[in-house]
Amino acid sequence: MDWPQLSRLACPTDAALISPVKFAHDPVPKIPLYLDAKETPFPRESFNSSHPLLKNRFKLYPREARLPFRCSLDAANECRFWKQGLESSMELLKLLSDDRSTNDIVVRGGVTMAGLAQRELRPEFEHRFCKATSYMYPFADEERTKLLAASMVMMFLWDDKAEASSDSAVSFTAETKSDSAHLSTKLNSVVEDFVNRINNIKEHLSPNSRLQHHIDSIISGFRAADLAAGNAGQEVIDAMSKSLRRIRPGFQFRTLRQYLDFRHDNVSADYVLAAVKFSVASGVDLTDPRLARYLTLVKDHLAIINDMASYDKEKRACESSDGERIINIVDVIQRVMSLPDVDSAKVMAYAYQLQTEAWMMEELQHLGSEVWLGDQEWQYLEATYICAAGNAFFSMTSSRYGGEIARLPGEDDKTLSPIPTTPSGNTATEDSLEKFIVGRQRIGLVDSCLVETT
């Protein structure tokens, strides 16, 4: 990849707001020339220029920064409250790492759930999964960002590891089956307590610990937000509860469609769509049949991006374990299409991702020309479009997927170089902004933030 220019990742006027970027993972390093993705912005302005939610986010330009952003959606954004989101994530991780109920629950390879939380708290914890919130839900205000960040910790850490533990028990030897069953029961009891708290089933709750009290406050926060605006808080809670109860399939997938339908649930797509709705304080009906095809494509996109980013990591994990099989779109495409190697399967998966993005745009154009939708629906659709792009940006910049090999060279704690200034304090910044605008105009892209600034 070209040497990154992170100082161009945001408008010069937004450079001081951006969070550090230290990793850049390329999920498809061998892309043929015929897969030339063109940047495609959302086809209409759903939020008027004075809408209060616009103040919560700022635009990112990963291609201007020469990052391997394998996505045609020109919609990457970041929330201004990313620091508050990280603080919320850290608070929950610390409670998970200290709580007695998680200290003796082994989820994999002798590591306890508390140990997993402690691992996530290592230096640079924000570069693993905790910044996903600020990229996927950038319209959220400070309080909603903090609630979503906490819920994302639950989804990434608790849910993911609970499922992993359940799977790992299948491959144990006969001598350890009774022990693994005991551990699985203990883990399931903790998850069940968590689900009961989500669903407010008080008669089945264990005595409150600091962790459980904190989880109760998070759930109460989602419900309280519904009293202020929108009705998505309860939908986020319901989607979390559903996701925690999911199981892995015991069969191979015969078609790509069959696999993606499974992944909608496995990647917690319903939770993501509800979280997007919560981030914009919307009351839109997620079951509206007019939105069904577009939202299905967004779910597909979430699954494909996640699979593309995590394939190498999952492959290594499966190769080092006994009996565990990979469940990933790259593997499915290679098997279904009888492709000769993994590189070919990655290219075909990427091609299908681009086709999905093209279908998303076609459906948006169809909705704009042949179906009447109100402002609330269009704002939600744009927020999901931005969420999909944000998921791609997070997956690229997360060490969770790329690991140390994806670390950008020569990066220190201050990722972005300061914008140079003259003695007057603004000449160099204005010059930098002018060059930035010219560069965007040269490739035919117009940005509202640039128009407003100029």
Side-chain angles (χ1 to χ4, degrees), residues 411-450:
E411 292 302 312
D412 56 24
D413 290 339
K414 197 166 186 180
T415 303
L416 295 182
S417 301
I419 301 298
T421 59
T422 65
S424 66
N426 59 11
T427 304
T429 300
E430 292 172 351
D431 181 62
S432 177
L433 180 58
E434 181 180 358
K435 291 179 180 178
F436 188 90
I437 295 172
V438 169
R440 295 290 289 177
Q441 291 174 337
R442 189 174 295 127
I443 57 176
L445 295 172
V446 179
D447 301 278
S448 59
C449 75
L450 301 183

Side-chain angles (χ1 to χ4, degrees), residues 12 29 42 73 85 99 107 114 125 136 192 204 211 234 275 278 290 304 312 329 345 377 393 405 432:
F42 194 74
L73 309 183
D99 192 80
V107 295
F125 87 100
M136 295 176 69
E192 193 65 30
H204 296 302
L211 169 64
Q234 186 61 48
F278 181 79
R290 298 173 299 174
I304 296 167
D312 292 337
I329 192 172
E377 284 80 16
F393 187 86
I405 196 172
S432 177

